[in-house]
Amino acid sequence: MDENDKASSSMVIGYWMSDRKSQKLNWIEFGKVCRQHGYELVKLDLERPLEDQGPFAVILHKLTEIIARNDEKAIQIIDRIEQYIKNHPKVLIIDPLDSVRTLLDRYKTYNVVLNTTLNNIDVFTPTFVEILSTNVKENIKKLKNAGVTFPFICKPFVAQGTTYCHQMSVIFNERGVADCKPPCVAQSFINHNAILYKLYVVGDHYQMVERPSLKNFYASNDDRDTITFDSHSVSKSDSSSELSVLDPSENAKGSSIDPIKLHSIVKTLGSYLNMSLYGVDVVVENNTNRHAIIDINAYPGYDGFPDFFGKLIDCVISRRAQTVCSKAYFEDSGFDTSDSSDEKKSRAKLNSINQYN
Ligand SMILES: Nc1ncnc2c1ncn2[C@@H]1O[C@H](COP(=O)(O)OP(=O)(O)OP(=O)(O)O)[C@@H](O)[C@H]1O
Ligand SMILES: O=P(O)(O)O[C@H]1[C@H](OP(=O)(O)O)[C@@H](OP(=O)(O)O)[C@@H](O)[C@@H](O)[C@@H]1OP(=O)(O)O
Ligand SMILES: [Mg+2]
Ligand SMILES: [Mg+2]
């Protein structure tokens, strides 16, 4: 097959992410990886109908900031994409917009974790409650009823894609409850010796990286003023915040991460979240060694993830293979999946699809 034939037979991956994000990931390189696997990578023009730009075999995106914006223009963009997906049920979308919407809402995300079986293996999400009102008395009652204990951490409802979503506070006492900025989620603080484990997931692959985190805080510090911070100044690979320095009296040893638990987290959350590209932040509770899931991010930074592009194309290929094997794909191709006489034709079609590697 010469280069021209190759180009005309290649399938198109339509992608969108901010220029900032693609520069950070050196996205041009991914175009080369795609070509090696018979895919063409094309940036979506969000201002124009997708029908004029396709057909797409795959839509790969980081649209968190557009979804989170939620203004008239953003809604129109998302509608356009959803309409295209509806009109083309065979297109693979990484990741489904509804799944991303769940992760943009911290309260919904923690509820997903709460309802998994992870609790059985000592993996938990710290006790949390949503704070929607500025009424301090009401909020104190709400916190008590939910079992959220001091100190707790207050996080904006929207998890990603806005300028304020990483602005947080640690609240030590009832006086500090006035510092909650609704809508937010209040979550009990878990002491973990200032070590954060980031699990980066790409389809069936995952990688753990270690990051700085907040130091231990104790309820005996209950006269303290609220601490406000930007999470990106604490837990990036190059962060060196004072808030991460353990008190000299503290013994930094003790708990350690359990690879089996991490494996279970990825296997379990993958199906509950219906996501291929996500990150899970885990801390290990001092003394108990329980593993707490404190944050889940759609399409995170993948800083320190080896061969990210190789794993990403693997993910596209395997998800496409799953899609074409699905019932919906065959039904859309005119096969009657309830009729066993169509099975032979289905198998023949499957055999003829050799486009995945
Ligand atoms: N329940 C908790 N107990 C102890 N520390 C916590 C807890 N929740 C968050 N932290 C600390 O606060 C930091 C920021 O929290 P979180 O990860 O929820 O914020 P984020 O802005 O969503 O982060 P990301 O940049 O990963 O999206 C964490 O990296 C960790 O250091
Ligand atoms: O660059 P991006 O926009 O994808 O920023 C993401 C950031 O990646 P970065 O490391 O490249 O800053 C992620 O950090 P890690 O979990 O990987 O540490 C995490 O903070 C996401 O919540 C951010 O998504 P956003 O809040 O912006 O939607
Ligand atoms: Mg985080
Ligand atoms: Mg987050």
Side-chain angles (χ1 to χ4, degrees):
M1 202 188 268
D2 73 16
E3 274 309 304
N4 287 339
D5 288 340
K6 224 176 178 177
S8 60
S9 67
S10 65
M11 289 156 299
V12 181
I13 300 177
Y15 79 94
W16 194 88
M17 66 187 65
S18 66
D19 290 342
R20 187 183 61 83
K21 178 86 177 169
S22 41
Q23 271 162 23
K24 212 159 159 187
L25 287 171
N26 193 16
W27 195 245
I28 291 174
E29 284 302 310
F30 186 55
K32 294 179 193 160
V33 174
C34 287
R35 273 194 296 283
Q36 285 161 6
H37 290 82
Y39 286 92
E40 190 190 342
L41 192 60
V42 173
K43 183 163 186 174
L44 300 177
D45 178 350
L46 299 182
E47 307 291 325
R48 290 196 298 125
L50 264 57
E51 295 290 350
D52 303 348
Q53 304 174 53
F56 299 108
V58 182
I59 291 179
L60 179 61
H61 68 91
K62 169 137 185 173
L63 286 162
T64 43
E65 64 201 65
I66 313 267
I67 303 173
R69 223 170 70 197
N70 205 29
D71 57 25
E72 205 181 314
K73 199 168 170 202
I75 292 170
Q76 198 180 44
I77 289 171
I78 299 300
D79 278 354
R80 221 176 261 147
I81 296 171
E82 290 196 308
Q83 196 54 51
Y84 184 85
I85 296 165
K86 207 171 160 199
N87 293 342
H88 301 271
K90 287 187 204 167
V91 73
L92 168 69
I93 173 131
I94 298 179
D95 278 306
L97 298 186
D98 279 342
S99 308
V100 174
R101 281 192 190 99
T102 299
L103 290 190
L104 288 187
D105 180 330
R106 292 191 200 267
Y107 186 69
K108 280 192 187 159
T109 303
Y110 295 135
N111 272 304
V112 170
V113 181
L114 198 65
N115 289 313
T116 65
T117 49
L118 287 169
N119 240 321
N120 301 339
I121 56 156
D122 271 352
V123 175
F124 70 112
T125 190
T127 311
F128 62 97
V129 72
E130 56 181 341
I131 301 288
L132 303 171
S133 143
T134 48
N135 183 323
V136 175
K137 260 191 170 172
E138 198 182 293
N139 288 343
I140 291 174
K141 205 169 149 195
K142 217 171 170 187
L143 289 158
K144 266 192 190 140
N145 287 343
V148 174
T149 45
F150 292 112
F152 65 83
I153 182 158
C154 228
K155 310 182 182 188
F157 239 54
V158 179
Q160 284 181 271
T162 69
T163 48
Y164 61 85
C165 64
H166 304 292
Q167 305 296 321
M168 318 207 151
S169 47
V170 184
I171 292 174
F172 294 91
N173 44 49
E174 290 195 354
R175 180 170 57 88
V177 174
D179 300 322
C180 284
K181 291 197 176 68
C184 60
V185 179
Q187 182 182 63
S188 295
F189 193 88
I190 304 295
N191 281 336
H192 56 278
N193 280 343
I195 303 170
L196 174 72
Y197 298 95
K198 274 193 176 278
L199 263 175
Y200 286 137
V201 183
V202 181
D204 298 326
H205 305 276
Y206 65 91
Q207 175 76 31
M208 186 202 76
V209 300
E210 218 175 293
R211 289 276 182 88
S213 190
L214 289 180
K215 66 179 188 174
N216 304 325
F217 292 114
Y218 298 95
S220 58
N221 291 333
D222 64 2
D223 56 335
R224 290 186 67 155
D225 287 339
T226 297
I227 295 174
T228 55
F229 67 100
D230 182 318
S231 65
H232 284 188
S233 67
V234 170
S235 290
K236 289 292 167 199
S237 50
D238 55 354
S239 299
S240 56
S241 165
E242 274 181 16
L243 293 173
S244 300
V245 182
L246 291 179
D247 294 343
S249 58
E250 285 185 306
N251 175 8
K253 277 197 196 150
S255 14
S256 61
I257 197 85
D258 176 353
I260 296 174
K261 287 197 172 92
L262 293 187
H263 190 77
S264 304
I265 290 172
V266 175
K267 291 296 146 204
T268 307
L269 286 183
S271 55
Y272 277 92
L273 297 172
N274 191 23
M275 294 281 295
S276 297
L277 304 181
Y278 64 99
V280 189
D281 290 356
V282 178
V283 296
V284 180
E285 188 175 39
N286 292 348
N287 307 320
T288 70
N289 258 19
R290 295 195 307 155
H291 288 37
I293 294 176
I294 54 156
D295 184 30
I296 307 182
N297 299 312
Y299 210 143
Y302 290 107
D303 193 8
F305 192 107
D307 187 27
F308 173 61
F309 293 144
K311 300 297 183 276
L312 185 54
I313 198 70
D314 269 8
C315 169
V316 167
I317 291 164
S318 66
R319 292 291 183 265
R320 282 206 75 223
Q322 286 161 7
T323 306
V324 295
C325 291
S326 76
K327 199 164 171 264
Y329 189 97
F330 282 112
E331 280 168 356
D332 190 62
S333 308
F335 287 90
D336 178 358
T337 48
S338 63
D339 177 359
S340 61
S341 69
D342 265 351
E343 203 183 309
K344 262 191 189 160
K345 282 187 258 169
S346 305
R347 283 189 197 288
K349 184 174 168 87
L350 254 187
N351 288 339
S352 74
I353 303 171
N354 294 320
Q355 315 155 342
Y356 311 111
N357 31 42

